[in-house]
């Protein structure tokens, strides 16, 4: 079945460093991937979308890559701040039925 | 403008009771989704509404679950004869319905079945 996998272990990094989160997909080829941020007790908030024919997308301190050979997307936060601490979800689309990963919890230490 | 609104934010109910969860999407959004999020799990698709088309109910876990969307706007998710395994956060999202359009989520209803 179609699957999106994210590292379920929490990622702790020092303030100012670059955080890199991984999203792998199996058994299908999504036309695009989306990344969301979710804070405790809140719904996910959309951050970025990248299409399969785009290698990289940037928005302020965020960068997303899409490698169709590796079946993987990487999500980078540069110059990370404690306020970036949250769970980050990867989702695939191509039809209306988005498939979400379980998310990776990021903690940026001051 | 207002985002997606869900009510109640928390609901505690006894096993066997029925519950209704409400979602008020962003005005003008034609697509509406319900997802369920359990601890440590990804978002589980439940149901999708798009305009006047027949909803995609393929994610509903049992016939105890139903949903409707009145007038292309507000949606209600109903769970009958609740079970403890129904305890989760129920998230509603809306979008413009075009391909690639991001989902706008509400803050969810946390359902606890005792």
């Amino acid at each position: 079945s179609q699957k999106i996998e994210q590292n379920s272990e929490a990622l702790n990094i020092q303030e100012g460093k670059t955080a890199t989160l991984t999203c792998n997909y199996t058994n299908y080829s999504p036309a695009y991937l989306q990344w969301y941020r979710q804070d405790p007790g809140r719904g996910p908030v959309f951050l970025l979308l990248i299409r399969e024919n785009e290698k990289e997308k940037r928005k302020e301190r965020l960068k997303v890559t899409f490698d169709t050979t590796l079946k993987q997307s990487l999500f980078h936060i540069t110059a990370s701040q404690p306020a970036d601490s949250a769970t980050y979800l990867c989702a695939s689309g191509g039809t209306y039925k988005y498939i979400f990963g379980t998310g990776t919890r990021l903690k940026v230490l001051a | 403008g207002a985002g997606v609104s869900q009510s109640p934010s928390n609901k505690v109910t006894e096993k066997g009771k029925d519950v209704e969860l409400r979602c008020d999407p962003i005005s003008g959004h034609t697509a509406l989704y319900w997802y369920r999020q359990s601890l440590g799990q990804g978002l589980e698709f439940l149901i999708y509404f798009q305009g006047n088309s027949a909803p995609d109910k393929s994610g509903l876990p049992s016939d105890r679950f139903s949903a409707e969307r009145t007038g292309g706007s507000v949606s209600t998710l109903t769970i009958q004869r609740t079970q403890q395994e129904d305890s989760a956060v129920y998230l509603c999202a809306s979008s413009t319905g075009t391909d690639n359009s991001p989902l706008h989520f509400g803050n969810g209803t946390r359902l606890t079945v005792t």
Side-chain angles (χ1 to χ4, degrees):
Chain A
S1 61
Q2 298 174 350
K3 218 171 172 183
I4 285 261
E5 290 176 332
Q6 295 182 256
N7 190 346
S8 58
E9 289 182 19
L11 176 65
N12 291 340
I13 63 162
Q14 208 62 39
E15 182 177 9
K17 300 290 187 188
T18 296
T20 299
L21 284 66
T22 305
C23 171
N24 295 293
Y25 56 92
T26 52
N27 297 328
Y28 71 123
S29 299
Y32 57 90
L33 292 167
Q34 297 182 351
W35 284 86
Y36 290 79
R37 169 183 172 142
Q38 186 172 26
D39 291 284
R42 313 281 292 196
V45 174
F46 172 76
L47 295 174
L48 276 171
L49 175 150
I50 185 166
R51 293 178 177 76
E52 60 180 340
N53 61 352
E54 295 174 321
K55 291 253 187 297
E56 183 180 295
K57 201 80 167 281
R58 290 176 186 262
K59 179 183 174 183
E60 296 170 355
R61 294 185 295 111
L62 309 180
K63 183 178 89 170
V64 174
T65 62
F66 196 161
D67 189 325
T68 55
T69 303
L70 293 178
K71 292 184 175 286
Q72 182 180 82
S73 174
L74 298 179
F75 177 83
H76 306 272
I77 306 175
T78 57
S80 58
Q81 304 165 2
D84 295 326
S85 299
T87 296
Y88 292 86
L89 301 168
C90 173
S92 72
T95 69
Y96 60 83
K97 207 179 274 184
Y98 298 76
I99 301 172
F100 282 83
T102 55
T104 299
R105 192 156 47 92
L106 172 68
K107 187 167 182 180
V108 180
L109 306 168
Chain B
V4 175
S5 178
Q6 290 189 246
S7 61
S9 54
N10 278 287
K11 176 74 177 178
V12 180
T13 190
E14 289 180 355
K15 178 181 167 181
K17 301 275 192 191
D18 298 352
V19 294
E20 277 191 359
L21 313 180
R22 177 188 166 106
C23 173
D24 213 326
I26 291 173
S27 177
H29 278 190
T30 59
L32 187 147
Y33 299 76
W34 284 96
Y35 284 88
R36 179 166 70 174
Q37 188 174 35
S38 304
L39 197 61
Q41 304 293 314
L43 272 68
E44 177 189 2
F45 168 80
L46 297 178
I47 189 168
Y48 164 76
F49 296 90
Q50 169 59 34
N52 295 322
S53 303
D56 178 348
K57 304 179 183 180
S58 61
L60 295 178
S62 77
D63 59 8
R64 296 185 296 104
F65 288 72
S66 62
E68 62 176 25
R69 188 179 185 190
T70 52
S73 181
V74 171
S75 177
T76 303
L77 177 70
T78 301
I79 309 174
Q80 294 179 310
R81 304 180 304 281
T82 51
Q83 304 294 311
Q84 286 188 329
E85 61 262 27
D86 299 334
S87 296
V89 176
Y90 290 82
L91 290 163
C92 174
S94 69
S95 78
T96 59
T98 56
D99 207 23
N100 301 341
S101 55
L103 301 185
H104 298 260
F105 284 87
N107 287 328
T109 293
R110 179 174 296 279
L111 175 66
T112 305
V113 182
T114 61

